[in-house]
Amino acid sequence: MNDDYRKDIDSIHASEELIEKTLRSVRQEKKKNKNSSAKIIKFSSAAVAAAAAILVFTNINMSDQSHYAINSVEHMEVRSNDISGLFSSSEDEEKTIMTEDELNDQVGVDCEKLFDSISFYKAEMSADKGTFYYESKDTGLSVSFSKNDDIIPKSMNGLEKSDIDGHEVFLAKDKNNYYASGKENGVNYYMVVRCSSDKAFKKLIKEFQKNF
């Protein structure tokens, strides 16, 4: 009887050990699976981020299909009050007739806010033309607007065209300045830029087309 009882007790203890061993195995397996899941999630997140970065990079490249053709010219004829940095007006300058607001209505934008990286300095108005001046530490710029074609020098005629964000523009440079001209909504514009490089000039043209 006693022997049979001990066997039963031993059998019970063996079962408890088996249970504990089984529980340990389950816990280890669960922990292993949890770590694997975390790795999978981490890997998936990294893959998604990488794919998103590639997609953004591709979209940026595809969205910027602008063609810049900066024509080199020997000399561009420029009136003195069109050169950025020469802000003294001639005494014979025609008195202001058209207001800034009237010109802004013609152009369709606030001409004092055409650029992001260079500050507005002043505006000069005449009967049929408005010229806006901008400057910063190392850059000077003037842009004139008029419905008359004569604000654009003849030297700009026949140059290779540029396409900036779908806008047709003529770009040029000589030993002194950079130049840009075009026509939007029936209004001609002519720009004279004093800056350090082609890259700086392109940046200003990009800003102008974005805000114009």
Side-chain angles (χ1 to χ4, degrees):
M1 178 79 176
N2 289 336
D3 290 339
D4 292 338
Y5 178 74
R6 287 195 188 90
K7 289 180 181 179
D8 291 340
I9 296 300
D10 290 340
S11 176
I12 292 172
H13 285 308
S15 298
E16 288 177 352
E17 291 174 2
L18 180 61
I19 291 171
E20 183 60 32
K21 183 178 180 181
T22 303
L23 289 174
R24 282 199 303 270
S25 298
V26 169
R27 283 194 293 267
Q28 289 174 357
E29 188 67 23
K30 185 182 293 185
K31 184 177 180 181
K32 181 179 178 181
N33 290 337
K34 183 178 180 181
N35 291 336
S36 297
S37 298
K39 290 179 181 179
I40 292 172
I41 292 172
K42 185 176 181 180
F43 174 78
S44 299
S45 299
V48 170
I54 293 171
L55 183 60
V56 169
F57 179 76
T58 302
N59 286 339
I60 290 174
N61 284 339
M62 291 182 66
S63 63
D64 189 5
Q65 298 295 322
S66 298
H67 168 64
Y68 295 86
I70 304 177
N71 299 266
S72 293
V73 295
E74 185 175 347
H75 176 70
M76 183 71 69
E77 67 268 26
V78 182
R79 294 177 293 273
S80 62
N81 66 319
D82 283 336
I83 301 177
S84 181
L86 301 181
F87 296 122
S88 58
S89 301
S90 169
E91 293 181 0
D92 297 329
E93 185 77 15
E94 187 177 1
K95 292 183 179 180
T96 300
I97 296 176
M98 182 169 53
T99 67
E100 281 191 45
D101 288 340
E102 289 172 338
L103 181 62
N104 288 338
D105 288 340
Q106 286 187 15
V107 177
V109 297
D110 184 347
C111 294
E112 294 187 8
K113 300 178 180 178
L114 289 170
F115 298 91
D116 302 324
S117 61
I118 186 170
S119 300
F120 171 74
Y121 178 78
K122 74 170 186 176
E124 291 181 347
M125 310 299 296
S126 68
D128 60 355
K129 183 184 77 169
T131 301
F132 292 77
Y133 296 88
Y134 291 77
E135 67 173 5
S136 65
K137 183 178 179 180
D138 57 355
T139 305
L141 183 154
S142 70
V143 55
S144 298
F145 298 94
S146 178
K147 289 188 175 182
N148 295 329
D149 295 338
D150 59 4
I151 68 164
I152 301 175
K154 293 180 180 179
S155 300
M156 298 294 286
N157 296 334
L159 299 180
E160 182 183 351
K161 299 176 184 177
S162 296
D163 187 324
I164 315 299
D165 291 336
H167 300 272
E168 186 178 279
V169 187
F170 292 92
L171 306 177
K173 67 177 178 179
D174 58 18
K175 63 181 180 180
N176 298 313
N177 301 296
Y178 290 86
Y179 310 90
S181 66
K183 189 172 186 176
E184 297 285 345
N185 301 320
V187 179
N188 300 286
Y189 66 85
Y190 175 60
M191 189 186 306
V192 182
V193 183
R194 183 190 71 246
C195 62
S196 59
S197 64
D198 289 4
K199 182 178 180 180
F201 178 55
K202 290 178 181 179
K203 179 182 178 182
L204 290 168
I205 296 299
K206 189 82 172 177
E207 290 178 7
F208 177 76
Q209 291 298 345
K210 182 188 74 172
N211 296 322
F212 188 22

